[in-house]
Amino acid sequence: MSSEKYLKPEVIQQIKRLDLRAQFIVKGYLQGMHASPYHGFSVEFSEHRKYTPGDDPKDIDWLAYAKTDRYYVKKFEAETNITGYLAMDLSASMAYTYRQELTKFDYAICLAAALTYLMILQNDPVGLVTFGKKITRSLPPKSKRQQIGTILSLLSNLKPEGETDIGNSLIQLAAMLRHASLVMVFSDLLTDPEPVIAALRRLRHGGHDVILFHVLDEAEVKFPFHGLVDFEEPETGQRLEIDADGYRRDYLEEINAFRESYREECFKSGIDYVPLDTSMAFDKALTEYLATRRQRA
């Protein structure tokens, strides 16, 4: 089975247990990484940095020199470890799916579970916060193997319901963090962007690295509807009947502008923005995480 097949959401849906889903995603991803000379090098030397004057020559990794013709030294553990927080949006809108196997919430949960495995494999402490209108649960970060089971157990019992206040919740999170951390936010961001962007900036100004995983349903990105369609707003219950064919162009312009505005604002603030939809394989998000971790380490 190819690594690409491991990473498809419809394949993941066939596995009922979250721990097995997460391992499946990570296994496929790592197979894909090792199949690529570029990524293989990146992973192999993620714990290295270039030799600089003042470093002890005894710390030079001669195997790395033989492969690259450059001098590298092994990083000390304190230089490489980063504390991670998974921040999970529990709003009712995350439960939406049109024709995909996984809801937005299922997709985000699988991705968060896989990232938990990756962080623990790298001996990085990782914790979890969940939020609706405010933070509802907080699990402190740990790097022990038992933390995988603790986080996956929590994730598998979460249910998306009610309204959300992403901006307020992220400001709460910023106030909780005592040390520079990597904050991984999972949300569909279906709310007023301004308070969210302000809160993300606050996290960055606090010295934290942020990856924003913007998870939408495939139908929310591609609008595959025709004729008269009755839509319901999941958090308020408001209903609206529209002519889908007449509305499509305007809708697609709006959703593309919405995502682009987040991309631009995140870029300005040094935040990694990862636009995803539930039809996409998981490796894009995992690659983004590892690239960010290497960059910030």
Side-chain angles (χ1 to χ4, degrees), residues 113-125:
L115 289 167
T116 299
Y117 264 99
L118 279 176
M119 291 201 73
I120 299 294
L121 284 173
Q122 296 174 137
N123 295 315
D124 290 328

Side-chain angles (χ1 to χ4, degrees), residues 128-148:
L128 172 70
V129 295
T130 63
F131 62 89
K133 295 201 82 168
K134 61 181 181 178
I135 288 178
T136 53
R137 185 137 198 183
S138 173
L139 180 71
K142 293 180 182 173
S143 58
K144 292 186 172 10
R145 293 281 297 190
Q146 298 97 301
Q147 183 78 339
I148 296 174

Side-chain angles (χ1 to χ4, degrees), residues 96 223 225-248 250-251:
Y96 176 74
F223 203 75
F225 308 104
H226 297 280
L228 286 176
V229 182
D230 187 27
F231 289 102
E232 180 179 341
E233 210 289 320
E235 293 181 23
T236 64
Q238 284 186 301
R239 303 182 77 90
L240 179 67
E241 187 178 70
I242 64 165
D243 170 15
D245 297 293
Y247 185 61
R248 179 172 294 102
D250 288 346
Y251 175 85

Side-chain angles (χ1 to χ4, degrees), residues 18-297:
L18 185 57
D19 58 337
L20 295 179
R21 286 185 181 188
Q23 289 181 61
F24 209 54
I25 294 167
V26 170
K27 182 178 178 183
Y29 172 66
L30 293 177
Q31 281 186 357
M33 290 286 275
H34 289 307
S36 160
Y38 171 76
H39 286 306
F41 175 83
S42 298
V43 170
E44 193 171 351
F45 294 104
S46 63
E47 305 303 316
H48 290 67
R49 60 174 167 77
K50 288 180 181 176
Y51 175 83
T52 56
D55 288 331
D56 191 333
K58 289 186 294 188
D59 292 332
I60 292 173
D61 188 324
W62 294 106
L63 179 61
Y65 175 76
K67 289 186 176 183
T68 65
D69 205 29
R70 293 180 182 172
Y71 295 111
Y72 287 91
V73 295
K74 272 287 243 186
K75 288 184 181 179
F76 295 104
E77 189 164 324
E79 292 181 89
T80 60
N81 287 136
I82 186 165
T83 299
Y85 285 85
L86 307 162
M88 187 67 59
D89 181 354
L90 296 185
S91 61
S93 64
M94 291 288 286
Y96 176 74
T97 184
Y98 176 58
R99 58 187 176 194
Q100 284 297 320
E101 299 283 349
L102 299 179
T103 67
K104 291 181 282 186
F105 193 68
D106 294 332
Y107 189 98
I109 290 289
C110 288
L111 186 54
L115 289 167
T116 299
Y117 264 99
L118 279 176
M119 291 201 73
I120 299 294
L121 284 173
Q122 296 174 137
N123 295 315
D124 290 328
V126 59
L128 172 70
V129 295
T130 63
F131 62 89
K133 295 201 82 168
K134 61 181 181 178
I135 288 178
T136 53
R137 185 137 198 183
S138 173
L139 180 71
K142 293 180 182 173
S143 58
K144 292 186 172 10
R145 293 281 297 190
Q146 298 97 301
Q147 183 78 339
I148 296 174
T150 306
I151 288 179
L152 266 55
S153 175
L154 274 173
L155 288 174
S156 62
N157 286 301
L158 292 174
K159 297 226 172 0
E161 55 191 3
E163 297 181 44
T164 188
D165 187 334
I166 304 168
N168 178 59
S169 300
L170 293 180
I171 285 172
Q172 264 191 288
L173 177 57
M176 283 169 47
L177 301 180
R178 296 284 172 262
H179 306 287
S181 303
L182 172 64
V183 179
M184 295 160 277
V185 182
F186 304 84
S187 175
D188 56 13
L189 303 175
L190 296 183
T191 186
D192 179 8
E194 284 191 20
V196 180
I197 289 165
L200 291 167
R201 283 189 190 133
R202 183 160 173 176
L203 278 167
R204 281 297 288 140
H205 291 161
H208 308 292
D209 295 316
V210 183
I211 310 182
L212 179 59
F213 294 112
H214 189 184
V215 183
L216 293 172
D217 187 75
E218 180 195 24
E220 291 172 326
V221 173
K222 297 176 181 173
F223 203 75
F225 308 104
H226 297 280
L228 286 176
V229 182
D230 187 27
F231 289 102
E232 180 179 341
E233 210 289 320
E235 293 181 23
T236 64
Q238 284 186 301
R239 303 182 77 90
L240 179 67
E241 187 178 70
I242 64 165
D243 170 15
D245 297 293
Y247 185 61
R248 179 172 294 102
R249 174 187 270 185
D250 288 346
Y251 175 85
L252 291 175
E253 283 180 3
E254 284 290 324
I255 196 71
N256 290 332
F258 176 60
R259 296 171 106 191
E260 181 61 20
S261 69
Y262 264 105
R263 190 196 66 75
E264 288 178 3
E265 291 296 332
C266 287
F267 178 76
K268 287 180 198 169
S269 301
I271 292 164
D272 287 278
Y273 174 65
V274 188
L276 300 166
D277 73 64
T278 51
S279 70
M280 294 172 65
F282 292 95
D283 55 338
K284 174 176 167 55
L286 293 170
T287 301
E288 196 81 15
Y289 156 71
L290 275 189
T292 301
R293 185 187 180 279
R294 281 196 302 275
Q295 183 182 341
R296 315 293 195 210

Side-chain angles (χ1 to χ4, degrees), residues 4-21:
E4 182 183 357
K5 190 170 180 184
Y6 277 129
L7 300 172
K8 289 181 179 175
E10 61 267 27
V11 176
I12 300 303
Q13 174 62 15
Q14 294 164 14
I15 306 167
K16 295 305 176 191
R17 282 174 48 193
L18 185 57
D19 58 337
L20 295 179
R21 286 185 181 188

